[in-house]
Amino acid sequence: AEHQHVRYNPLRDDWVLVSAHRVKRPWQGQLEKPPPEDVPRWDPNNPLCPGATRANGEVNPQYESTFVFPNDFPALQPDAPEPDDSDHPLFRAAPARGVCKVMCFHPWSDLTLPLMSLAEIRAVINAWAELATELGASYPWVQIFENKGAMMGCSNPHPHCQVWASSFLPNEARLEDRTQRQHLSQHGVPMLLEYAEQEARRKERLVVENADWLVVVPYWATWPYQTLLLPRRHVCRLQDLSEGERDSLASIMQRLLIKYDNLFEVSFPYSMGWHGAPTGPYLEEDCRHWQLHAHYYPPLLRSATVRKFMVGYEMLAQVQRDLTPEQAAERLRSLPEVHYK
């Protein structure tokens, strides 16, 4: 807790430098602006609101729950042409096709997931599973992710996420596929299933838990208050969850996100995303090495205005953090589960 050391991340096959003593240093760097508290519930100029007109001229329906539509500025398109052949192995390119969708969680712009009801969060989970099934029928990878807050690049305060389906396995998916496959081969049990059992028993990095799920600050956490959401049973994909597991997932997500907001009494920014077994052609393959999980990567370090920057040593050498995962977990664990608002 007081001295620097490195920790191994078996999921990414890399290391993180833990320098807990650095959290005591004075901060004279950049201070962020807290998110606005006066977001209007409905704004005709907000392209994600019900009834609003988007950039392409499409008018949103008067939706009352979740609403999914094609991204108006997609990073992936289904009919992209083949790249030219390379004339040298150092200049390789490959086809990249896919679809990008946006999912609004709720019709009100002034809500976020921790302020939504369990039934409303459950509707989001159902919509996630439906999209994962629909797009996963043909695409190898379906990435569900939420960027919350302007600090994490979100350009719209309306509660929403994105879903990108790709014709290829992205880097993080390929890496996790390799490490999990190797662990199962060597140890006979899925890595993250074994990890969840260990963390449930040790409890020192546990944040919240229920009968079906647990949330921990992982032993190898990179971001100050990073968490990992894990099912207790072996589940390969989001769409494989039972009705009861979806109910308990809504509950544990709400509890975690309330704690996040309560930490600095601010709408807590983060990037989060689901990782599960690949789909498309992989649906016919043995993917027992995979365990479904969600990553939460929040940038705030000391307060609502002081963030962790991944620069310098982190970009050029290896990831470094300023407080131990155990300290972060203890602080999150001790927070109330009633929202500060």
Side-chain angles (χ1 to χ4, degrees):
E2 296 296 330
H3 302 285
Q4 69 267 15
H5 58 281
V6 292
R7 296 190 183 193
Y8 180 62
N9 181 347
L11 195 57
R12 301 197 74 258
D13 188 25
D14 63 11
W15 295 80
V16 56
L17 171 61
V18 182
S19 310
H21 56 285
R22 276 171 52 87
V23 80
K24 300 173 184 176
R25 76 192 194 281
W27 180 261
Q28 295 180 322
Q30 179 172 322
L31 298 179
E32 307 291 338
K33 291 183 179 179
E37 297 279 348
D38 57 347
V39 175
R41 179 156 292 181
W42 184 83
D43 180 354
N45 297 316
N46 185 330
L48 299 186
C49 282
T53 302
R54 304 201 307 273
N56 62 357
E58 294 281 337
V59 178
N60 296 333
Q62 295 292 340
Y63 64 93
E64 298 180 351
S65 180
T66 59
F67 169 51
V68 179
F69 62 93
N71 194 314
D72 297 328
F73 303 96
L76 292 164
Q77 296 176 322
D79 53 358
E82 295 273 340
D84 294 335
D85 291 335
S86 173
D87 61 356
H88 193 281
L90 292 178
F91 302 93
R92 295 167 60 191
R97 300 184 179 94
V99 296
C100 298
K101 294 183 179 288
V102 176
M103 179 196 298
C104 295
F105 295 154
H106 195 279
W108 295 356
S109 293
D110 58 343
L111 283 189
T112 56
L113 281 171
L115 295 172
M116 289 165 54
S117 70
L118 288 177
E120 290 165 340
I121 298 173
R122 177 68 150 79
V124 170
I125 293 167
N126 286 342
W128 281 343
E130 289 169 9
L131 272 177
T133 301
E134 173 194 336
L135 298 174
S138 53
Y139 286 102
W141 190 255
V142 180
Q143 184 59 65
I144 298 167
F145 66 97
E146 179 193 4
N147 294 325
K148 180 176 178 243
M151 198 182 300
M152 295 309 290
C154 181
S155 59
N156 193 304
H158 196 90
H160 71 287
C161 73
Q162 298 188 56
V163 184
W164 293 12
S166 61
S167 61
F168 55 91
L169 285 188
N171 293 341
E172 291 297 308
R174 291 169 55 198
L175 182 55
E176 289 193 4
D177 184 73
R178 176 176 64 81
T179 58
Q180 291 181 96
R181 187 185 299 275
Q182 184 176 350
H183 187 93
L184 180 65
S185 174
Q186 292 178 350
H187 302 281
V189 61
M191 177 198 295
L192 292 181
L193 183 62
E194 181 178 11
Y195 179 68
E197 292 170 351
Q198 286 288 324
E199 290 287 31
R201 181 173 61 81
R202 296 169 186 257
K203 296 192 181 303
E204 58 189 329
R205 285 169 294 275
L206 191 65
V207 178
V208 288
E209 64 178 331
N210 61 26
D212 300 313
W213 300 88
L214 69 158
V215 176
V216 300
V217 177
Y219 178 78
W220 53 79
T222 296
W223 295 92
Y225 293 97
Q226 175 181 336
T227 55
L228 185 62
L229 172 56
L230 295 162
R232 292 184 184 270
R233 78 170 177 96
H234 188 201
V235 185
C236 287
R237 300 178 177 92
L238 189 65
Q239 52 268 44
D240 298 335
L241 295 174
S242 68
E243 294 297 309
E245 287 167 333
R246 295 185 188 194
D247 289 338
S248 57
L249 174 57
S251 173
I252 204 163
M253 283 176 54
Q254 185 188 62
R255 292 169 63 197
L256 169 65
L257 297 179
I258 286 175
K259 283 180 179 289
Y260 268 161
D261 280 9
N262 285 345
L263 179 60
F264 299 128
E265 294 196 350
V266 69
S267 184
F268 207 67
Y270 58 75
S271 284
M272 73 80 64
W274 285 100
H275 283 175
T279 48
Y282 295 91
L283 291 170
E284 304 301 320
E285 296 189 7
D286 183 359
C287 290
R288 286 177 302 140
H289 55 290
W290 271 92
Q291 174 74 329
L292 175 70
H293 58 283
H295 296 282
Y296 284 83
Y297 298 134
L300 292 180
L301 173 60
R302 302 185 185 202
S303 69
T305 61
V306 177
R307 69 179 297 180
K308 166 69 177 178
F309 287 92
M310 292 292 181
V311 295
Y313 190 86
E314 290 88 353
M315 294 176 70
L316 296 165
Q318 109 179 359
V319 169
Q320 178 269 334
R321 60 178 290 121
D322 291 348
L323 75 164
T324 68
E326 293 76 26
Q327 291 166 337
E330 182 179 11
R331 187 162 184 191
L332 289 173
R333 189 167 54 242
S334 66
L335 292 166
E337 295 186 9
V338 176
H339 200 278
Y340 73 93
K341 284 191 174 181

